Amino acid sequence: VRAAEAEKREAETRERTVREQAAAQRKMADRNDAVEAARDEARRLQEAVEKAEAEAERANKRLAELDVTAAEGWQQVGAQNQAVQGLRAKSVFLRKMFMKEKRRREKEEREKEAVKLRFKPLKERNVELEYRLANQRDAMGEADAEVSRLTGALKAQADAADNLSRRLRAEISDRERAA
């Protein structure tokens, strides 16, 4: 009986040992799977970090290019603004000259009517003044056209610079949100 009991206990001990070994092997396999999954995740994260760093570097280069472009655009806007101001000053000067000439012409017209029959030389002088006035009007028209053209170009440059500034701010804020 004792031998049977001892054999039974020995069989139970073997079974328990086999079960414990199987459980230990499953546990080890689970741990190995978890380690492999963690390594895969670490690789993916490292690749994502490298990709993000490369993207950040490209974005920084693009931002530097956009900064240079914006600075050049504002320099062009400044130069064109100065040109427009110069043309405006010239336009004002020519307009004043035109108004002076116009007032003088009106005065001469009144005098001409009063003495038309008696003073033929005044008539010849008036023809000369009309010729000068036409020349001044032509000069003023060209200056006004140039002012209009440069004003349009200035507005286009200012709009382009504003759009560029907005894009820069948007890219910067996108990076800050991404960081």
Side-chain angles (χ1 to χ4, degrees):
V1 170
R2 284 189 172 166
E5 284 180 13
E7 211 175 284
K8 186 178 178 185
R9 276 184 274 167
E10 193 176 302
E12 287 175 358
T13 304
R14 269 183 270 156
E15 281 181 39
R16 198 177 324 127
T17 304
V18 167
R19 281 193 308 256
E20 287 173 358
Q21 283 178 346
Q25 287 175 350
R26 282 192 304 273
K27 201 174 192 182
M28 183 61 91
D30 290 345
R31 284 185 182 160
N32 286 342
D33 290 345
V35 166
E36 188 60 34
R39 285 181 182 154
D40 288 344
E41 182 66 22
R43 275 192 296 273
R44 279 195 314 257
L45 290 175
Q46 182 63 32
E47 289 170 0
V49 165
E50 290 170 0
K51 185 178 179 181
E53 287 173 349
E55 183 63 31
E57 186 175 330
R58 282 193 302 274
N60 285 336
K61 286 179 183 177
R62 178 67 178 141
L63 182 60
E65 291 170 3
L66 292 175
D67 285 342
V68 169
T69 303
E72 289 172 356
W74 281 112
Q75 285 176 349
Q76 290 176 356
V77 167
Q80 289 179 352
N81 193 24
Q82 287 179 347
V84 166
Q85 289 174 355
L87 289 172
R88 282 188 183 147
K90 185 176 180 180
S91 176
V92 167
F93 173 75
L94 290 173
R95 193 174 307 273
K96 285 180 182 179
M97 285 180 53
F98 173 74
M99 292 307 290
K100 283 180 183 179
E101 189 65 28
K102 183 178 177 182
R103 284 191 294 271
R104 190 170 79 168
R105 183 174 163 245
E106 289 171 353
K107 181 179 177 184
E108 285 182 4
E109 283 291 327
R110 287 190 301 270
E111 292 174 359
K112 179 183 172 186
E113 291 299 322
V115 292
K116 187 177 184 178
L117 296 174
R118 289 185 278 153
F119 297 101
K120 188 175 182 181
L122 283 178
K123 185 176 181 181
E124 293 170 1
R125 174 75 173 144
N126 192 40
V127 169
E128 179 185 331
L129 289 175
E130 286 178 0
Y131 175 75
R132 284 178 40 206
L133 180 60
N135 288 341
Q136 288 177 352
R137 281 184 185 159
D138 288 345
M140 187 178 73
E142 291 172 7
D144 284 345
E146 183 69 13
V147 166
S148 296
R149 185 187 68 74
L150 285 175
T151 299
L154 177 64
K155 285 180 183 176
Q157 286 289 331
D159 289 344
D162 287 340
N163 287 338
L164 187 56
S165 294
R166 275 189 246 116
R167 284 189 5 222
L168 286 173
R169 285 192 293 271
E171 280 189 33
I172 289 170
S173 67
D174 287 346
R175 281 198 204 134
E176 291 175 351
R177 276 190 245 127

